[in-house]
Structure formats: structure tokens, C-alpha cells
Amino acid sequence: MSQISNEIATRDTGPAAQIEAYRDEYAALVPSHVNADQWIRLAVGAIRGNPDLMQAAQNDVGIFLRELKTAARLGLEPGTEQFYLTPRKKGGRKVIQGIVGYQGIVELIYRAGASSTVIVEAVRANDTFRYVPGRDDRPIHEIDWFGADRGELVGVYAYAVMKDGAVSKVVVLNRKRVMEIRAKSDSKNSEYSPWNTNEESMWLKSAVRQLAKWVPTSAEYMREQLRAQAEVAGELDAPSVAGAPQMPTALDDADPIDDGPIEAELVD
């Protein structure tokens, strides 16, 4: 009897074990194209391989599991640049915060099926950059790959080439605009924030997150396409709206956008 009690007392109830305990729930949340077993292995590995994350997850396992649910619903890989897992101070202790990364947003755009190419690039002081809205359909960005130093970050841009060959709205942000976006991040001052550990990636995210308002990021796009086809076939009376900013998606709930895309000339 005492042996059974000891086994119960020493049973692993930590964050990694909790992921395994809720395996079926996470498997039900991830999109059908995502391998649930691989997704769970990534989540477990992200925690076990980082003592800071493990401690933060142990401090409030409920918050940790909730953040993983967000990654699961979006079908993004936790603990990667698709979906960062970072410690965050809350109530005097560290807990887990999930942050959608730029690679995660790019993945959602590709997954929607409307875009054939997504371009997201940072511009540095010694690069050559030209873009005139209304004249150019896309920026011209020249980089001296063999130069000693490209210089500091001065801006970032993003656009998509749609499957019909059209170029989406082009988003161009200068340093001032990126810093305004950074200022709205509630984790910007944390040493673990991607703004401090992977700054260029967050500049890229700033642009592609703005782009996400203008190109599809979910299967809703495919449903609209089917709706349009049905309308042409005379099966529906209601018109389908095209060419307008997208309706809110799961991404907006997980990673709220600020005040929308900005087109601007880059400045030092």
C-alpha cells in the first residue's frame, strides 16, 4: 500500500506531463494538416530544454496550457519563431506568454491558399531601397551581400504575390513606425522579449502583421472562394465581397493588430 502511495506522490505533474495529459485535447485543436504528435513533442521539448521556461510554466501551469491552446488553434509550432514561448513577470513571478512570430504569420498567409509568395525583408542603412507608391508595384531592394557591414536597421517592408500574379498592398515601415509598434508591446522591457532577444525578427513581424490585414490568413478565404463559385453557378443570391480588407480571424484574437497598415517612405 505504501509503495502505491509513494508512486502517486512522486508522479510527474509538471508542465511537460500536463501537455501529455491533455494530448487528446490539443490533438483536437490543431488543424487537420498538422501532425499532432509532432506538435506535442515540440511543446514538450521547448519546456524541457529551457530551465527559465520550465520554471515560468511551473509557476502557473494553467496560463501555460492556455497559451499552448492558442498555438494549437493557429496550428503554429510552439517554442519556435512561429510561436515564441517567453517568461513574463505577472504578479511578482514569471509566467509563460505566447507570442506569434513573423514566421507564424507567413505560415498562416501561405496556408490560406491565396498567395504564391510572401516577401518580408529588413532594410539596413547601407542597402539601396526604392519604392514609389502608385508608380512601383513592389519595392526595389539591393543588398551588397559581400560588404563588410550593412549598417543599422532603418526599415522593413512586406508584400505578397497572389496566385493570379497580382501584387498585394505593399507595407513599408520606417524605424519611427516600428518603434511605435514596439512601444505598444507589454513585454518590450523583458529581457526575454523577442524585441530584445531577436530584434530583426520583430521588425519583420511588424511589417507582416500589418500585411495580414490585406491578405487572407485563414481557411475563411477558401470558403469565400467556394461561395463565389456557388454564386456564379446560381446557387447563392448574396454577393461575395472581394478587394477589401479581410474580416477578423483567429490571428486577430491571438495577436491583436494595432491601427492598420502604413505606407511610408523610409527615413534614417
Side-chain angles (χ1 to χ4, degrees):
M1 182 70 175
S2 60
Q3 182 179 354
I4 295 176
S5 299
N6 288 337
E7 289 176 355
I8 294 174
T10 58
R11 183 178 299 164
D12 184 3
T13 59
Q18 289 295 305
I19 297 171
E20 295 287 357
Y22 288 96
R23 171 182 288 270
D24 291 345
E25 185 173 344
Y26 287 122
L29 284 172
V30 297
S32 59
H33 72 279
V34 174
N35 184 306
D37 289 336
Q38 181 179 347
W39 187 94
I40 289 167
R41 283 197 298 272
L42 280 170
V44 171
I47 291 299
R48 286 183 171 160
N50 188 316
D52 287 330
L53 284 181
M54 177 63 82
Q55 183 58 58
Q58 287 174 336
N59 287 340
D60 196 318
V61 175
I63 289 179
F64 168 58
L65 296 178
R66 185 188 67 200
E67 297 296 277
L68 284 185
K69 282 186 177 181
T70 299
R73 282 197 300 272
L74 293 173
L76 301 180
E77 298 175 349
T80 72
E81 287 192 351
Q82 287 191 5
F83 192 88
Y84 295 102
L85 295 174
T86 64
R88 172 191 176 190
K89 281 282 186 70
K90 183 177 181 181
R93 60 178 183 167
K94 291 177 182 176
V95 298
I96 291 290
Q97 179 182 22
I99 300 174
V100 179
Y102 91 92
Q103 291 185 4
I105 300 173
V106 170
E107 168 67 17
L108 294 177
I109 292 173
Y110 276 124
R111 193 184 300 164
S115 305
S116 61
T117 306
V118 180
I119 305 296
V120 193
E121 293 288 348
V123 181
R124 292 183 174 270
N126 294 332
D127 296 351
T128 298
F129 181 89
R130 296 188 299 275
Y131 175 63
V132 179
R135 185 194 71 184
D136 304 325
D137 68 341
R138 68 192 79 189
I140 297 174
H141 183 197
E142 298 175 354
I143 300 170
D144 180 3
W145 294 110
F146 302 106
D149 184 10
R150 288 179 59 195
E152 68 175 2
L153 287 164
V154 295
V156 65
Y157 64 94
Y159 65 90
V161 179
M162 314 310 286
K163 286 192 172 177
D164 63 2
V167 177
S168 74
K169 189 177 186 73
V170 177
V171 173
V172 182
L173 307 179
N174 60 21
R175 171 178 285 275
K176 179 176 181 294
R177 184 70 181 100
V178 173
M179 291 301 100
E180 289 173 353
I181 294 172
R182 181 184 187 278
K184 295 180 181 180
S185 169
D186 58 5
S187 65
K188 62 183 179 295
N189 295 321
S190 168
E191 63 180 303
Y192 302 102
S193 170
W195 279 108
N196 298 314
T197 63
N198 203 342
E199 183 185 21
E200 183 169 327
S201 289
M202 292 305 288
W203 280 60
L204 295 171
K205 179 190 172 178
S206 297
V208 78
R209 185 65 184 92
Q210 301 289 334
L211 176 66
K213 184 176 180 181
W214 298 96
V215 297
T217 58
S218 73
E220 182 62 30
Y221 167 78
M222 300 304 295
R223 287 193 289 270
E224 275 296 303
Q225 292 297 96
L226 292 173
R227 178 183 175 85
Q229 292 170 12
E231 181 189 349
V232 170
E235 299 172 11
L236 290 174
D237 296 328
S240 178
V241 178
Q246 299 300 306
M247 296 298 291
T249 68
L251 176 60
D252 298 293
D253 295 330
D255 187 57
I257 199 167
D258 59 359
D259 55 359
I262 300 292
E263 287 188 335
E265 293 295 331
L266 286 172
V267 295
D268 291 338

